[in-house]
Amino acid sequence: MGKIIVAGIGPGSPTDITPAVMEAVREADAIVGYKYYFQFIAAYVKEGCECIDTGMKKERERAEQAFLLAEQGKTVVVISSGDAGLYGMAPLIYEMARDRRTGHPSQSDVELASLPGISAFQKAASLLGAPIGHDVCIISLSDLMTPWEVIEHRIMAAAVGDFVTAIYNPKSHGRYWQLYRLQELFLQKRSEDTPVGYVRQAGREEQEIKITTLGNFNPEDVDMFTVILIGNSQSYIANGKFITPRGYYRQEAPPSEELGLGSGLQRTDTGLGRSIMIESFRTIEKELKRKDYPLDHKWALLHAIHTTADFDMEDILYTDPSAVEHIYNKVKNGELKTIITDVTMVTSGIRKGALQRLGIEAKCYLQDARVAEFASTSNITRTQAGIRLAVEEHPNALFAFGNAPTALMELCDLIRKGKAHPAGIIAAPVGFVHVRESKHMVKPFKSIPKIIIEGRKGGSNLAATLCNAILTFDDAEQLKPGRDL
């Protein structure tokens, strides 16, 4: 009995054929394959080698011919483009061998081997830059062998799983809508800024390379000879190249305008944490009842819901017009240098990296040695006493309240007396006594930018995350209301 070698000849360039495949072709007694592919190996075929070529969709006939020749004792090479095991001839040959051995035990001695080749998606990836640096999923849109319903489930799984996704067989004369549907499904789970690269006739003379984004991708640009690569949530475009980081490089990420993501997210969250946060923000944005919020309100709302997983925030978060932006501008212009909090838990939740980067100090006076004596002699709570001391030393600070309504009420009294002139107020005390009233007391101060969690809800975590929303508002400025993060 002879031998069948299933060989991947690469995407089309002679330089992409492996030495092992070249050697197999040189030694073959017969070569079987789709006629278009013979042009790529003609230089390596030995004199006298029998070459059997067939048209498209003749895979089964090719495989049967290969077995007939091998059963005559010949060494047969069955060629596939790219890698023979990836949408190629290898699975068919091995399945047919199993069935032939079952029906004809005497034919069981045909030896099988497969030689890997450079796949089209690997060649395309190398031309695009480094798009497959992390987990990759490969999907064919051809429904000749697989029902479309199954393909659509696989598309959704790839999108939800945040895989870099390679698309084979994206289009044909009869299949024009499937790629539009894939784009629609991906946009439900991925940002419209997700990089997309596609290469037509990779490795061949007609080669064309394009890089765009998921939102701008035009399926009409693609034909059956094109391989498409869709990035994951960490992919970005830099210097005209498509890059998906693996995580080895831990220095500051590339410029945010190229990533399509805010720089504050990059500075404060890296690797898996950043990916989870970005995906969470996308999920929140899609589930909001309104899509047309002003940008700075939306930025605060995303932070509030991300921290609490409570979509009631959409109804109870109040911000003065452009409050977040106004307070951030005071930080940027050097007018605001201090954040005063009512309890230490709020201070602890404010991002230390953002404070350091912006030159801001976050302080809580509750542990100040003067507070206990002041509270006792004045017959007020320690949080009230802390606010009085804070106002004496920092009357123009941003004041953030996440626990004590009495502290917020104290600040309101000091404002009315002309002793405090806050750069802004975050009013998010939580509880059942005086909580609503303390928040109502803040609203009449029209000249002070305010962010308020209405009603009984609030908490130190909310006050802190609203501070963080202000400190990272430079990220939000790159977004548009209603657009994915």
Side-chain angles (χ1 to χ4, degrees):
M1 286 292 175
K3 180 178 183 178
I4 296 177
I5 302 170
V6 194
I9 63 170
S13 169
T15 58
D16 292 326
I17 301 176
T18 69
V21 171
M22 289 181 184
E23 186 62 26
V25 169
R26 289 190 183 102
E27 295 182 359
D29 299 313
I31 299 174
V32 178
Y34 171 43
K35 58 186 178 183
Y36 180 80
Y37 299 144
F38 276 86
Q39 62 181 305
F40 303 121
I41 60 164
Y44 313 111
V45 178
K46 71 181 181 182
E47 188 176 350
C49 176
E50 186 177 359
C51 294
I52 301 168
D53 57 10
T54 62
M56 290 184 69
K57 301 181 182 179
K58 300 290 184 180
E59 291 85 358
R60 188 177 180 88
E61 289 88 337
R62 272 178 249 152
E64 289 173 343
Q65 187 66 50
F67 275 99
L68 290 174
L69 292 167
E71 287 160 4
Q72 297 170 19
K74 295 181 179 181
T75 296
V76 183
V77 173
V78 178
I79 57 172
S80 276
S81 67
D83 183 274
L86 181 60
Y87 304 126
M89 289 291 291
L92 174 57
I93 293 290
Y94 279 86
E95 283 189 290
M96 189 172 286
R98 178 199 61 188
D99 290 345
R100 291 174 76 88
R101 286 166 182 167
T102 300
H104 306 280
S106 62
Q107 297 176 342
S108 63
D109 291 335
V110 172
E111 183 182 349
L112 299 182
S114 60
L115 295 176
I118 295 173
S119 67
F121 89 90
Q122 289 173 303
K123 180 66 175 181
S126 70
L127 295 168
L128 293 166
I132 55 173
H134 217 300
D135 299 334
V136 179
C137 178
I138 304 167
I139 299 175
S140 169
L141 296 193
S142 173
D143 55 3
L144 292 175
M145 305 290 182
T146 307
W148 175 254
E149 183 179 0
V150 174
I151 296 172
E152 187 160 311
H153 284 313
R154 291 173 180 173
I155 293 169
M156 284 299 296
V160 171
D162 199 29
F163 285 95
V164 176
T165 307
I167 307 300
Y168 275 67
N169 304 310
K171 206 172 183 183
S172 70
H173 295 301
R175 288 184 295 103
Y176 68 92
W177 58 267
Q178 286 86 343
L179 190 54
Y180 284 95
R181 177 59 175 159
L182 178 141
Q183 183 182 29
E184 178 186 357
L185 293 172
F186 262 79
L187 282 170
Q188 293 175 13
K189 300 297 179 182
R190 303 276 180 92
S191 165
E192 62 183 14
D193 292 321
T194 301
V196 173
Y198 49 107
V199 180
R200 183 179 184 276
Q201 296 281 27
R204 301 172 187 173
E205 290 184 5
E206 310 93 326
Q207 176 179 287
E208 297 176 25
I209 305 166
K210 294 187 180 180
I211 295 177
T212 183
T213 62
L214 190 59
N216 292 326
F217 172 62
N218 182 5
E220 295 301 319
D221 246 0
V222 167
D223 64 15
M224 64 186 295
F225 298 104
T226 307
V227 174
I228 304 167
L229 285 165
I230 303 172
N232 67 15
S233 62
Q234 299 178 62
S235 301
Y236 60 92
I237 299 168
N239 300 318
K241 295 296 183 181
F242 178 170
I243 303 165
T244 299
R246 177 69 176 88
Y248 300 117
Y249 188 67
R250 295 296 184 186
Q251 297 180 19
E252 185 169 317
S256 56
E257 63 271 16
E258 293 186 348
L259 278 149
L261 300 170
S263 57
L265 288 176
Q266 295 153 15
R267 283 189 293 266
T268 56
D269 300 273
T270 58
L272 181 61
R274 182 180 68 187
S275 177
I276 292 171
M277 185 174 186
I278 293 167
E279 186 63 27
S280 297
F281 272 34
R282 288 183 187 143
T283 302
I284 293 165
E285 200 277 338
K286 287 181 173 62
E287 294 186 23
L288 293 178
K289 290 180 286 188
R290 278 183 57 188
K291 306 297 183 184
D292 59 344
Y293 288 112
L295 184 55
D296 73 329
H297 179 88
K298 178 182 174 183
W299 190 242
L301 180 59
L302 290 172
H303 279 76
I305 297 175
H306 180 256
T307 295
T308 62
D310 184 356
F311 278 83
D312 282 352
M313 292 296 141
E314 192 169 4
D315 299 318
I316 64 176
L317 174 68
Y318 167 85
T319 63
D320 283 335
S322 303
V324 174
E325 183 177 7
H326 287 326
I327 301 171
Y328 171 74
N329 284 337
K330 291 180 181 180
V331 173
K332 186 170 67 172
N333 296 334
E335 301 171 44
L336 173 56
K337 291 292 186 181
T338 307
I339 300 174
I340 300 297
T341 69
D342 60 336
V343 290
T344 55
M345 285 186 65
V346 178
T347 310
S348 298
I350 301 173
R351 293 178 176 174
K352 302 302 180 289
L355 292 171
Q356 184 177 9
R357 172 171 56 88
L358 296 167
I360 305 295
E361 180 184 23
K363 297 184 66 173
C364 176
Y365 277 74
L366 205 55
Q367 305 303 322
D368 190 297
R370 299 169 290 174
V371 166
E373 182 180 356
F374 192 4
S376 176
T377 57
S378 302
N379 195 29
I380 57 176
T381 66
R382 291 174 66 234
T383 51
Q384 284 178 283
I387 292 300
R388 287 190 188 181
L389 286 172
V391 166
E392 287 180 12
E393 297 180 3
H394 303 284
N396 305 114
L398 167 63
F399 287 81
F401 301 85
N403 182 271
T406 55
L408 179 55
M409 294 164 75
E410 183 69 27
L411 177 66
C412 291
D413 186 53
L414 294 168
I415 293 170
R416 293 180 68 234
K417 292 176 179 177
K419 296 181 179 181
H421 310 280
I425 300 172
I426 295 172
V430 60
F432 300 93
V433 179
H434 301 312
V435 170
R436 286 193 178 100
E437 294 86 344
S438 69
K439 296 170 183 178
H440 293 319
M441 290 173 68
V442 175
K443 288 187 177 178
F445 304 120
K446 301 298 184 182
S447 64
I448 301 172
K450 298 172 292 297
I451 304 171
I452 302 171
I453 302 296
E454 304 271 23
R456 295 172 172 176
K457 290 187 177 182
S460 300
N461 58 340
L462 264 172
T465 201
L466 293 171
C467 288
N468 291 333
I470 292 168
L471 297 178
T472 62
F473 186 62
D474 56 333
D475 301 332
E477 288 176 340
Q478 298 173 56
L479 306 176
K480 296 177 181 177
R483 171 182 159 186
D484 266 348
L485 289 167

